[in-house]
């Protein structure tokens, strides 16, 4: 660290694991997740909070990790795509539904899509198609044409309901 | 990844301390709340600051309450907290509905209403609706508190009348009285809207007559604009007002300083205003 800017102590939880780091204040959450914690499932694309590829959940709410300062995650719970499957590797119903419905092609937007969908289903366990479209409006995919994504979220909602 | 330039973050405990910090850092410092506009501009090196003063560390600035005829929204309340606030949904549902459609869910989770106003981005949804609702903002700096209208706060694109040490501490919106009919519509095909149009009317005789009307447009012009002349055409018996809508839209477009940009030409925006004023009027009188 140059120019005497002090490091900022950051304590937070990532995918259920307590993490303590010293960060530079300007570091984004995506930089910390990818470069320091090696959680490269969080993808960075547009860099300006438009595309949704870098979506992670902070205390359950979606944020753009590319521009969200890691500083803001202090004492909070961060969920990335790596934290979604069960410890034994069983995919989360959303992940399984995306596979079953072929809801991705290149896959670059998929982690962000799945986490945005997870936030939606936490709030509205059985969303209407209109609610899914409105909620996923901020996540851009250039391959699928979106319909398989909507279907996957509907399928996951049903799977989660029957599971509970 | 596009890294940000280095800066320090400061955590004031009071508004007065934040104002002192901002005054001390001068042009090298900036108030920081949600960061959804500021950090983008800094990432692109359009703005450079060595010090960010995190106003969120000041306690008590995130509250939302209805009191004495006003809805008061604290300076660090996020779009999402407003969108889901029971008091906003109950007392001013139109504002909650507008907030639910600002940008995307990620921006709403972190971005603040006050920050949206202070960045004065010409495509702001809230600024246009707040102008028509005749909202006011409370600001506080080293010289004390003062109150501004939306017109006074935003004199131009990306401009506010705030001094560099002043902090927007609350947005206050008059609570609607019985008989108020209002709507906010936007037209959007890109990331930011092409047009935002707000129509707020005080009606009598169960909506058969319009006593006062306020209409504002945003996005099509450098900052949100009202037109008193257009508003005068929107007062009277409802069938007459309905016949005046085209003319009112023309007057509104004339006075709005429409700009040609990537969203479309001024003539196209004039057309949109005409279409959306009629739709806004229809939305304000559902099921008639």
């Amino acid at each position: 660290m140059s120019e005497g800017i002090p490091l900022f102590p950051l304590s937070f939880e990532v995918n259920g694991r307590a993490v303590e780091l010293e960060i530079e204040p300007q570091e984004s959450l995506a930089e910390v997740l990818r470069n320091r914690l090696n959680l490269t499932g969080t993808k960075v694309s547009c860099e300006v909070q438009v595309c949704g590829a870098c979506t992670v959940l902070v205390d359950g709410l979606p944020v753009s990790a590319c521009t969200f300062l890691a500083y803001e995650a202090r004492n909070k719970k961060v969920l990335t795509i790596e934290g979604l499957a069960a410890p034994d590797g069983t995919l989360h119903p959303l992940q399984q539904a995306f596979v079953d419905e072929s809801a991705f092609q290149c896959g670059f937007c998929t982690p962000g899509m799945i986490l945005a969908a997870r936030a939606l289903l936490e709030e509205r366990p059985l969303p209407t198609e209109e609610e899914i479209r409105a909620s996923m409006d901020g996540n851009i995919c250039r391959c699928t044409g979106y319909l398989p994504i909507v279907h996957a979220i509907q399928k996951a909602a049903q799977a989660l309901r029957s599971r509970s | 990844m596009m890294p940000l330039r280095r800066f320090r973050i400061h955590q004031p405990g009071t508004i007065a301390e934040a104002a002192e910090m901002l005054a001390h850092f001068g042009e090298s410092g900036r108030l920081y709340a949600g960061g959804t506009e500021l950090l983008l501009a800094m990432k692109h090196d359009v703005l450079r600051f060595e010090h960010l003063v995190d106003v969120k560390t000041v306690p008590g600035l995130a509250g939302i309450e209805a009191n004495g005829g006003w809805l008061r929204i604290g300076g660090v309340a996020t779009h999402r907290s407003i969108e889901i606030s029971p008091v906003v949904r109950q007392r001013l549902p139109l504002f909650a509905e507008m907030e639910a459609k600002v940008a995307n869910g990620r921006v709403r989770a972190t971005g603040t209403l006050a920050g949206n106003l202070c960045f004065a981005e010409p495509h702001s949804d809230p600024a246009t609706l707040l102008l028509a609702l005749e909202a006011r903002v409370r600001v506080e700096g080293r010289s004390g508190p003062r109150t501004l209208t939306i017109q006074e706060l935003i004199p131009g694109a990306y401009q506010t009348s705030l001094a560099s040490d002043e902090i927007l501490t609350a947005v206050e919106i008059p609570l609607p009285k019985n008989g108020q009919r209002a709507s906010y519509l936007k037209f959007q095909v890109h990331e930011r809207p092409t047009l935002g149009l707000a129509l707020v009317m005080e009606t009598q005789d169960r909506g058969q007559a319009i006593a006062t009307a306020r209409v504002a447009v945003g996005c099509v012009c450098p900052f949100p604009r009202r037109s008193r002349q257009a508003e005068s055409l929107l007062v009277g018996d409802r069938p007459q007002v309905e016949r005046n809508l085209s003319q009112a839209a023309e007057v509104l477009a004339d006075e709005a300083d429409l700009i040609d940009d990537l969203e479309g030409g001024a003539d196209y925006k004039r057309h949109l205003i005409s279409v959306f004023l009629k739709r806004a009027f229809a939305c304000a009188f559902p099921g008639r």
Side-chain angles (χ1 to χ4, degrees):
Chain A
M1 186 74 196
S2 59
E3 294 125 31
I5 294 181
L7 293 173
F8 189 90
L10 177 69
S11 301
F12 65 140
E13 194 182 298
V14 180
N15 300 333
R17 185 167 61 91
V19 175
E20 295 206 2
L21 287 173
E22 288 202 313
I23 59 162
E24 299 182 16
Q26 82 286 352
E27 282 185 89
S28 70
L29 183 56
E31 287 175 293
V32 168
L33 291 171
R34 289 180 56 89
N35 301 344
R36 292 173 181 260
L37 302 177
N38 206 26
L39 294 170
T40 54
T42 300
K43 305 302 180 193
V44 174
S45 180
C46 77
E47 296 271 6
V48 289
Q49 307 206 42
V50 168
C51 76
C54 68
T55 304
V56 300
L57 305 189
V58 176
D59 282 353
L61 290 180
V63 304
S64 299
C66 74
T67 314
F68 186 87
L69 296 181
Y71 157 84
E72 297 292 355
R74 61 196 191 281
N75 305 321
K76 293 188 174 167
K77 292 179 180 174
V78 175
L79 180 68
T80 74
I81 194 68
E82 290 90 345
L84 213 51
D88 68 358
T90 306
L91 294 180
H92 183 276
L94 267 165
Q95 293 172 306
Q96 190 60 53
F98 268 63
V99 172
D100 295 344
E101 294 293 319
S102 299
F104 51 86
Q105 289 181 34
C106 85
F108 200 79
C109 73
T110 309
M113 285 280 178
I114 288 178
L115 287 165
R118 151 81 190 236
L120 167 66
L121 295 184
E122 284 289 310
E123 193 166 333
R124 292 176 192 274
L126 280 178
T128 64
E129 180 173 341
E130 194 183 340
E131 286 168 341
I132 293 172
R133 286 171 178 269
S135 179
M136 300 300 291
D137 183 45
N139 288 72
I140 294 172
C141 172
R142 289 294 181 235
C143 310
T144 61
Y146 297 106
L147 262 184
I149 294 170
V150 173
H151 293 158
I153 295 168
Q154 288 172 319
K155 188 170 187 173
Q158 293 294 347
L160 282 162
R161 187 169 78 154
S162 55
R163 196 169 76 168
S164 64
Chain B
M1 279 189 273
M2 270 171 84
L4 284 154
R5 285 178 187 274
R6 285 185 169 137
F7 51 74
R8 291 172 189 242
I9 293 181
H10 303 269
Q11 300 179 313
T14 62
I15 291 293
E17 194 184 348
E20 285 297 337
M21 286 176 171
L22 289 168
H24 174 72
F25 296 132
E27 296 204 340
S28 69
R30 194 70 164 179
L31 195 79
Y32 162 71
T36 53
E37 302 274 22
L38 177 67
L39 295 176
L40 301 189
M42 289 177 69
K43 224 179 209 189
H44 287 283
D45 227 5
V46 178
L47 297 173
R48 284 189 196 179
F49 299 105
E50 293 163 30
H51 302 274
L52 296 188
V53 176
D54 182 4
V55 74
K56 299 189 299 303
T57 58
V58 176
L61 279 181
I64 301 172
E65 58 182 17
N67 208 335
W70 294 81
L71 177 68
R72 183 185 165 91
I73 299 171
V76 303
T78 61
H79 296 295
R80 174 168 167 97
S81 70
I82 300 165
E83 170 191 343
I84 65 170
S85 157
V87 66
V88 182
R89 285 186 166 198
Q90 191 184 357
R91 304 295 297 274
L92 197 57
L94 176 63
F95 201 73
E97 287 162 25
M98 179 279 299
E99 283 286 9
K101 292 175 188 158
V102 167
N104 58 54
R106 303 179 305 278
V107 168
R108 292 196 295 276
T110 47
T112 65
L113 172 62
N116 178 293
L117 296 177
C118 289
F119 202 74
E121 213 279 343
H123 300 85
S124 164
D125 291 304
T128 304
L129 179 53
L130 288 172
L131 180 64
L133 288 169
E134 293 193 322
R136 63 190 187 194
V137 297
R138 303 280 191 179
V139 306
E140 209 170 318
R142 285 177 306 161
S143 57
R146 59 188 184 121
T147 304
L148 302 172
T149 63
I150 298 295
Q151 296 97 304
E152 289 165 342
L153 175 70
I154 305 176
Y158 303 102
Q159 289 174 18
T160 71
S161 53
L162 297 184
S164 60
D165 68 319
E166 279 185 318
I167 294 139
L168 201 166
T169 55
V171 176
E172 296 180 341
I173 312 168
L175 286 167
K177 300 181 182 74
N178 286 339
Q180 187 181 86
R181 304 287 188 121
S183 55
Y184 175 78
L185 296 178
K186 64 173 161 179
F187 177 70
Q188 184 168 358
V189 289
H190 299 131
E191 183 54 25
R192 296 182 192 258
T194 302
L195 166 73
L197 188 147
L199 176 62
V200 180
M201 296 170 287
E202 309 300 335
T203 68
Q204 299 166 334
D205 301 335
R206 297 183 177 189
Q208 290 310 302
I210 295 151
T212 62
R214 301 189 294 275
V215 63
V217 288
C219 310
V220 289
C221 40
F223 55 97
R225 299 290 279 265
R226 277 175 68 179
S227 161
R228 309 290 159 154
Q229 200 189 332
E231 289 171 3
S232 69
L233 290 163
L234 301 174
V235 170
D237 289 341
R238 203 163 93 195
Q240 181 59 50
V241 170
E242 208 159 352
R243 286 194 290 276
N244 287 349
L245 288 173
S246 292
Q247 194 192 345
E250 284 298 317
V251 172
L252 185 56
D254 285 342
E255 293 191 16
D257 188 18
L258 301 179
I259 49 172
D260 296 304
D261 61 14
L262 293 174
E263 301 287 343
D267 55 342
Y268 174 62
K269 293 173 181 177
R270 177 178 291 272
H271 171 70
L272 285 179
I273 289 171
S274 178
V275 171
F276 278 80
L277 179 59
K278 288 167 191 161
R279 287 189 190 172
F281 189 80
C283 286
F285 295 101
R288 55 202 175 114

